[in-house]
Amino acid sequence: MKYGHFDDTNREYVITNPKTPYPWINYLGNEDFFSLTSNTGGGYTFYKDAKFRRLTRYRYNNVPVDNGGKYFYIKDGDTTWSPGWKPVKTELDSYECRHGMSYTKFKSSKNGVEAQILQFIPLGFWGEIQKVSLKNTSSETKKLKLFSFIEWCLWNAEDDMTNFQRNFSTGEVEIEDSTIYHKTEFKERRNHYAFYSVNTSIDGYDTDRESFLGLYNDFDSPDVVNDGAPKNTIAHGWSPIASHYVEIELKPGEQRDLIFMLGYVEVEKDDKWESKAVINKKPAKAMLAKFDTVEKVDVAYNDLRAYWDRLLGKINIDSGDDRLDRMVNIWNQYQCMVTFNMSRSASFFESGIGRGMGFRDSNQDLIGFVHQIPERARERIFDIASTQFEDGSCYHQYQPLTKKGNSAVGGDFNDDPLWLILSTTEYIKETGDFSLLDEMVPFDNDVSRAKPHFEHLKASFYHVVNNLGPHNLPLIGRADWNDCLNLNCFSDNPNESFQTTGNKKGNTAESLMIAGLFVVYGKEYVKLCKRIDNDKEAEEAQKHVENMIEAVKVHGWDGDWYLRAYDFFGNKIGSNENEEGKIFIESQGWCTMAEIGKKEGMVEKSLNAVKKHLDCDYGIVLNSPAFTKYHIEYGEISTYPAGYKENGGIFCHNNPWIMIGETVLGRGDQAYEYYTKIAPSFLEDISELHKVEPYVYCQMIAGKEAFKPGEAKNSWLSGTASWNFFAITQYILGVKTDYDGLVIDPCIPSKWDGFKMQREFRGAKYNIEVQNPDHVSKGIKTIFVNGSEIESKVVPILEKGKEHSVKVIMG
Ligand code: BGC
Ligand code: NOJ
C-alpha cells in the first residue's frame, strides 16, 4: 500500500494520507539553522546544535507518536481544524503534504476553506518562514479565527526535559507588536534569544502554555481555541509558548497570506539590552523586515529552489527506470546533504541530545556529499582531523557547536582513524586540491600541536600498524565499525554501557573487518604518497599492506568465507565452526573490496557464501544465524533479539560494501539486485510493512530471522545514504573520480541497453553515454571523448566551463 507518490518534476514526495505508518519527515535548513518537520506539522527547530541550542520543544517517544510542533488551529464556526491534520485531527476534505528539497508544503481544505503552508529556511538565514495562505472557496463570507502555536525549549534540550526544579521558574518572554520574544536566561550568560512573529497586526496572543491549553488538555483541544478567544497571557516560569491570534474575514474567493517567522538572534555581550530588562530587538526587527512581504518570501523560496537545482545538477542520470533515476538524481543526494549536516544527531530516531558528530560517521558521510559543496567538505575534514590524537587514535564523536571531541560513547574504536584516509582521498579526487594535505591541523583541538594534514593520514595508517594482535591482524579495540561487537567488554551488569566499558585488556581480540579496510585504504595511502612524490613512505607503507594481505590469507580465511574476528581468548568469530554467527557481512564486504585472495578464488567464494547465507527478500543480513543467546564475550551484538539491528538485521549501511564487492567480480546483475532490495523508492509499494519514508534510506530493516522481516527503523541519519550513493554512481554505474580524471568502468545488469550520466567534474560538464550492445555486465570496448577514441578507461580532466561528450561502448 502507498501513502502518496513521487513528483519527480518538482523533486517532491507527495503524501496524500496523513496517517502514514510512521511520521514521514523532512529537514529544512542547509547550514546553521535547521528544522525537522513531519507530514502532520510535528517537529522542532534548532541553531547548529540540537542539544545546546534547541529553539522549540518536541516530545520524543511520546503517546501518541510525534507530539509537539508548529501548529495552526483554524476555527471556522463550530469546526476547528489544522492544515497539517494534527494536532486537531479533524477529518479534512482534502490533505496533501509535499516534502521537497529543504522545504515542505501543506495544502488542505475543510468546509470551503483552503489552507496552504510553505515552510522553509531561506539560505544563509537564521530563521524559518511559514507562509500561510487561507482562501475562501465557498460562496459565503467566512469569519475565521487563526491561532498559531509553538512551545519554547529552554535552550539546552537535555536540561529542558530533566531539570524541572529549576526550569519551571526561569522562563521569560517579551511581547512587542506581533512578535513574541523568548528570552529565558538572557539575563545571565546567554547572548541569544528567539522570536516568533507574524507580518500582520494581531488580535491577541498567549505565551503561557497552561493558560492556552488548559492543564488537562492535549494539543488537540486547547481551552483558548475552544473558547475562540486568547487570554493575552505573559509567561513567568512554567512553560513559555508563543501563540498568535488573528481574526480573518474572507469574502467568497478571497485569499489572505500571512508570513510567520521563527528566528534566532545573537547579540554582542555589551549590546544585549535596549533598556533595563528590555532586550535589544534591533537584529530581530532587521530579520523580520527581510521577509515581511509575500514577494520577498517568494524570492527567497525561488533562490532555495535554484540552489538545489545547482547542487543536483552536478550528477544526473537517465537509466530508463524512474525508481533508480529519482534515487540518484534527487533523494539519495538530498539525504547525503542531510546526513552531512546532522551526522547522527537529530532525527525522529535520534533525540538530538545524544550523539553529536561521529568521527567515523562524518568521514563516511562525506563521500556522498563532496561533489555538492567541496569547500564545506574540506572544512569538515579539518574539523574531524582536529579531534585526532598524535598516535592516530581519536575521540569517537564531537559536538557540532564546540567542535571538541567528547568521550560520551567511549573511544578506541580501532576502525575510526582509517576513515580519514577515505574522506581525504575522495575529496582530492573530486577537486584536485592537494593543498589540504599541507594545511596545519591541530591534534586534540590544541593548535600548539598542529601538524600538516598529511601527518594525520600517516598517523591513521600507522595506528593500525602499531596495534596488531597475535595473528598480525588489527586489534579491534572497543569495537570496529560494528559498535556492538564488543570483544573486550565482558559485561554482566545491566547498568553499564557496552560502548564505554572495556573491562578486558584489548591486546588479543582482532578484526578482519579492519584488516580489509586497512588493505583498501592502505593502498589508497600508498597511491597518495606516490602522487605527492613521497616514494620512501609509499614503499614502507606498501610492505605493511602486503603483510596484512598475507595475514588475512593465512589467519582470516575460513574455507568458504572470511572470518569476522578473533575474540579475547583467540577463538574464531564468524566461522563455520561457530554454532551461531557463522558468517558476517562486514569482513566479506571489506576483504572482497580489498580483493584479498582474488586469484585464489576467495573473493568469489566469499560472495557466493553471502548470497547463500545472508541474502533474503529484503536485503543482506549482517550475520547468520543470528544470536539467540547472550554471549558475554561478544557483547551487545548478542543482546538484540534475532533479526534486529546488528544481530541479523539488514543493516543497510553495509549492503553496498557487498554490491561493490560484486563489481570486483563483474557481477552486475547481482550487484544491482542487492541495490534494488534496499533502495527506498523500490519499496514504495510495501510502505505499510516498510513503515518509514519511501524516499530515504533507513539504518535497519528487520532481517529474515526477525519477527517481522521487512519492517524498517531509523530512517535518514545513517551512513547508508553515502555508501549507497557511492556504490551506485561509482561502482555500478561505474563513473569514478580519480586524481587524473573520471574512470569509467560500469558493472550493470546485462539486460540494460546502457544509460546516460551528466557529471560535473573539475569545472567541466561530462555528458556520458554508455551503450551496451552486447549485453554484458562489465567490460569496455571503446571510449570516445569529444569524438576521438581514447586508450584507457580514464577520461582525462577536460576544459573547464565546457560540455564534453563521452561515448562509452561496453562489450
Ligand atoms: C547501537 C549502534 C550505535 C551505538 C552507539 C548501539 O547500541 O546498536 O547502532 O551505533 O549504540 O550509539
Ligand atoms: C551506528 C553508528 O552510527 C555507526 O557508526 C556504526 O558503524 C553502526 N551503528 C554499526 O554499529
Side-chain angles (χ1 to χ4, degrees):
M1 181 179 166
K2 301 207 293 184
Y3 294 81
H5 57 267
F6 287 94
D7 174 347
D8 295 335
T9 315
N10 284 306
R11 302 194 179 116
E12 293 168 339
Y13 193 81
V14 190
I15 302 166
T16 47
N17 176 353
K19 292 174 222 169
T20 47
Y22 206 70
W24 286 0
I25 74 162
N26 195 12
Y27 285 82
L28 316 179
N30 291 290
E31 272 182 61
D32 292 336
F33 194 81
F34 299 102
S35 297
L36 283 70
T37 191
S38 78
N39 61 309
T40 57
Y44 62 94
T45 297
F46 61 92
Y47 168 76
K48 278 192 182 169
D49 191 314
K51 175 174 175 177
F52 288 125
R53 290 290 183 282
R54 181 99 49 115
L55 267 69
T56 59
R57 269 194 190 148
Y58 183 75
R59 287 176 177 69
Y60 276 100
N61 202 11
N62 217 266
V63 181
V65 75
D66 193 16
N67 230 350
K70 289 173 202 128
Y71 291 148
F72 289 100
Y73 302 86
I74 298 171
K75 196 170 169 74
D76 174 11
D78 293 336
T79 308
T80 303
W81 58 285
S82 299
W85 183 60
K86 275 186 83 168
V88 183
K89 291 186 281 184
T90 297
E91 211 55 50
L92 300 171
D93 296 338
S94 67
Y95 159 92
E96 192 183 86
C97 167
R98 288 176 174 261
H99 285 319
M101 303 291 105
S102 308
Y103 67 85
T104 288
K105 285 176 173 174
F106 292 94
K107 182 175 180 180
S108 47
S109 62
K110 183 74 190 171
N111 298 346
V113 176
E114 187 187 87
Q116 295 199 47
I117 301 177
L118 165 65
Q119 197 182 1
F120 73 105
I121 293 168
L123 293 167
F125 194 64
W126 293 356
E128 183 197 281
I129 305 282
Q130 291 186 89
K131 181 171 90 172
V132 179
S133 311
L134 297 175
K135 185 173 181 179
N136 181 357
T137 58
S138 78
S139 49
E140 272 135 52
T141 296
K142 288 273 185 186
K143 285 189 172 176
L144 306 175
K145 296 176 171 188
L146 177 73
F147 299 86
S148 70
F149 177 88
I150 58 162
E151 187 177 2
W152 299 112
C153 178
L154 308 186
W155 304 117
N156 179 329
E158 186 172 36
D159 192 74
D160 184 66
M161 57 176 146
T162 45
N163 196 4
F164 307 115
Q165 59 80 27
R166 181 176 201 264
N167 296 341
F168 285 174
S169 294
T170 59
E172 285 188 290
V173 296
E174 261 183 55
I175 298 144
E176 193 186 289
D177 303 328
S178 303
T179 309
I180 297 164
Y181 296 87
H182 175 226
K183 59 168 187 177
T184 300
E185 292 182 350
F186 194 70
K187 179 167 68 93
E188 44 138 307
R189 296 153 303 166
R190 296 192 181 276
N191 61 339
H192 48 91
Y193 62 80
F195 62 89
Y196 195 37
S197 185
V198 56
N199 71 336
T200 186
S201 58
I202 55 176
D203 301 294
Y205 58 82
D206 273 287
T207 67
D208 177 63
R209 189 188 72 200
E210 253 65 281
S211 311
F212 178 82
L213 285 179
L215 187 58
Y216 294 101
N217 291 338
D218 277 327
F219 291 123
D220 62 350
S221 172
D223 275 351
V224 159
V225 178
N226 291 340
D227 297 347
K231 294 185 183 155
N232 299 333
T233 51
I234 307 225
H236 296 276
W238 296 110
S239 294
I241 61 161
S243 170
H244 306 93
Y245 169 67
V246 189
E247 291 173 359
I248 297 172
E249 191 172 305
L250 294 175
K251 298 200 189 70
E254 194 184 342
Q255 171 171 327
R256 217 172 131 193
D257 304 305
L258 300 176
I259 294 155
F260 287 84
M261 185 193 292
L262 169 64
Y264 171 83
V265 164
E266 284 185 358
V267 285
E268 295 297 326
K269 280 225 158 90
D270 48 13
D271 197 20
K272 283 172 65 167
W273 306 99
E274 208 164 283
S275 57
K276 189 161 196 292
V278 179
I279 61 173
N280 172 3
K281 303 192 183 64
K282 247 187 261 147
K285 287 179 183 167
M287 285 175 73
L288 288 166
K290 269 194 159 166
F291 296 110
D292 54 0
T293 66
V294 168
E295 292 70 36
K296 292 182 192 172
V297 167
D298 289 348
V299 168
Y301 171 62
N302 289 332
D303 286 349
L304 180 68
R305 294 202 59 141
Y307 170 83
W308 275 104
D309 285 346
R310 271 198 309 281
L311 286 184
L312 298 180
K314 295 191 173 182
I315 296 184
N316 225 273
I317 63 159
D318 177 3
S319 70
D321 186 334
D322 289 343
R323 294 169 303 178
L324 175 60
D325 292 358
R326 64 171 66 110
M327 280 321 303
V328 173
N329 297 343
I330 307 171
W331 292 99
N332 199 171
Q333 294 200 57
Y334 181 56
Q335 187 180 3
C336 286
M337 164 74 100
V338 172
T339 49
F340 175 81
N341 282 330
M342 300 285 138
S343 190
R344 305 297 170 268
S345 67
S347 72
F348 270 34
F349 296 86
E350 299 279 9
S351 63
I353 61 173
R355 297 195 276 156
M357 313 293 282
F359 191 100
R360 158 208 296 155
D361 294 330
S362 293
N363 276 310
Q364 291 175 73
D365 292 345
L366 227 129
I367 63 173
F369 170 80
V370 61
H371 66 284
Q372 297 189 35
I373 312 179
E375 310 80 63
R376 289 190 67 201
R378 189 179 204 265
E379 188 189 328
R380 176 66 53 82
I381 290 173
F382 295 144
D383 287 349
I384 301 171
S386 305
T387 65
Q388 194 177 28
F389 295 97
E390 279 90 345
D391 69 354
S393 65
C394 27
Y395 289 105
H396 196 48
Q397 60 179 35
Y398 68 96
Q399 213 52 46
L401 197 69
T402 60
K403 297 190 173 176
K404 292 243 162 71
N406 69 57
S407 305
V409 294
D412 293 332
F413 293 84
N414 279 351
D415 64 311
D416 267 342
L418 288 175
W419 302 108
L420 190 63
I421 302 180
L422 162 72
S423 62
T424 302
T425 52
E426 285 307 319
Y427 167 82
I428 301 176
K429 288 175 184 175
E430 180 68 46
T431 58
D433 170 22
F434 282 88
S435 75
L436 96 161
L437 295 174
D438 303 323
E439 295 282 343
M440 296 296 278
V441 182
F443 282 100
D444 195 13
N445 291 110
D446 178 351
V447 274
S448 71
R449 282 149 69 186
K451 285 208 180 128
H453 182 63
F454 177 77
E455 295 300 319
H456 285 262
L457 302 190
K458 191 169 176 187
S460 291
F461 181 87
Y462 286 98
H463 187 261
V464 175
V465 176
N466 296 333
N467 288 282
L468 298 176
H471 302 93
N472 284 326
L473 292 165
L475 291 171
I476 195 166
R478 200 173 289 284
D480 59 25
W481 172 88
N482 189 330
D483 290 327
C484 302
L485 196 61
N486 314 114
L487 305 181
N488 295 305
C489 169
F490 287 45
S491 182
D492 54 9
N493 174 359
N495 302 323
E496 65 191 13
S497 142
F498 289 103
Q499 310 297 317
T500 50
T501 312
N503 51 20
K504 288 275 176 288
K505 271 204 189 128
N507 48 18
T508 45
E510 297 166 298
S511 160
L512 265 304
M513 187 254 165
I514 304 182
L517 191 70
F518 177 78
V519 174
V520 172
Y521 296 116
K523 285 183 195 166
E524 281 299 335
Y525 177 70
V526 169
K527 186 168 158 185
L528 180 71
C529 289
K530 286 187 184 151
R531 291 297 304 205
I532 57 172
D533 296 327
N534 195 341
D535 289 337
K536 208 167 137 252
E537 176 57 17
E539 215 174 281
E540 172 68 18
Q542 180 65 30
K543 282 188 225 145
H544 295 293
V545 172
E546 272 154 26
N547 292 345
M548 189 66 78
I549 295 175
E550 204 43 38
V552 173
K553 286 189 191 167
V554 176
H555 299 292
W557 182 247
D558 195 52
D560 283 311
W561 56 78
Y562 305 94
L563 293 174
R564 176 62 176 87
Y566 284 95
D567 72 12
F568 177 78
F569 305 107
N571 296 324
K572 294 174 184 171
I573 300 181
S575 159
N576 203 17
E577 292 165 20
N578 297 121
E579 234 172 83
E580 305 191 312
K582 286 172 179 289
I583 171 170
F584 281 70
I585 194 170
E586 303 98 330
S587 44
Q588 315 315 320
W590 282 102
C591 293
T592 58
M593 283 161 79
E595 307 190 18
I596 299 175
K598 189 175 173 211
K599 267 203 324 283
E600 296 89 330
M602 289 179 182
V603 171
E604 193 178 347
K605 276 193 184 161
S606 153
L607 292 171
N608 291 347
V610 167
K611 174 82 186 153
K612 183 161 168 213
H613 300 285
L614 300 178
D615 183 31
C616 76
D617 287 350
Y618 304 103
I620 312 166
V621 300
L622 192 145
N623 58 305
S624 181
F627 298 104
T628 56
K629 50 180 195 253
Y630 175 50
H631 297 257
I632 192 166
E633 73 283 17
Y634 293 176
E636 186 171 357
I637 189 168
S638 59
T639 65
Y640 289 115
Y644 292 93
K645 290 280 287 167
E646 283 92 338
N647 185 21
I650 296 152
F651 222 89
C652 299
H653 184 150
N654 52 36
N655 277 227
W657 300 342
I658 299 297
M659 297 169 204
I660 297 173
E662 288 289 348
T663 67
V664 166
L665 293 180
R667 302 199 297 202
D669 289 299
Q670 186 57 70
Y672 192 63
E673 189 194 309
Y674 287 143
Y675 176 81
T676 59
K677 278 189 179 172
I678 62 165
S681 63
F682 288 78
L683 308 176
E684 198 189 3
D685 288 334
I686 57 160
S687 284
E688 215 170 341
L689 167 66
H690 186 67
K691 231 176 154 113
V692 294
E693 299 90 339
Y695 40 91
V696 288
Y697 283 98
C698 58
Q699 183 204 48
M700 193 238 13
I701 303 174
K704 55 185 176 172
E705 289 166 274
F707 172 70
K708 209 175 188 186
E711 186 187 64
K713 295 191 182 98
N714 198 359
S715 52
W716 285 96
L717 304 187
S718 164
T720 306
S722 56
W723 272 105
N724 275 280
F725 188 69
F726 199 56
I728 187 72
T729 53
Q730 303 220 3
Y731 291 89
I732 297 178
L733 299 173
V735 178
K736 195 158 184 13
T737 53
D738 210 336
Y739 298 120
D740 297 319
L742 286 175
V743 179
I744 313 229
D745 193 12
C747 183
I748 54 175
S750 50
K751 67 167 193 283
W752 281 18
D753 294 323
F755 65 91
K756 289 188 187 140
M757 182 190 283
Q758 286 194 341
R759 197 354 168 150
E760 251 180 54
F761 181 63
R762 312 266 182 107
K765 187 161 240 160
Y766 292 64
N767 295 322
I768 304 164
E769 188 184 343
V770 175
Q771 296 177 356
N772 188 19
D774 299 342
H775 289 275
V776 296
S777 275
K778 199 170 176 155
I780 301 283
K781 228 187 238 161
T782 35
I783 300 184
F784 298 93
V785 176
N786 292 329
S788 352
E789 194 173 338
I790 57 165
E791 288 303 308
S792 77
K793 289 178 187 167
V794 189
V795 177
I797 296 154
L798 299 169
E799 195 183 332
K800 277 199 174 90
K802 291 230 164 109
E803 296 205 17
H804 304 277
S805 95
V806 179
K807 196 164 145 191
V808 180
I809 320 272
M810 294 179 69

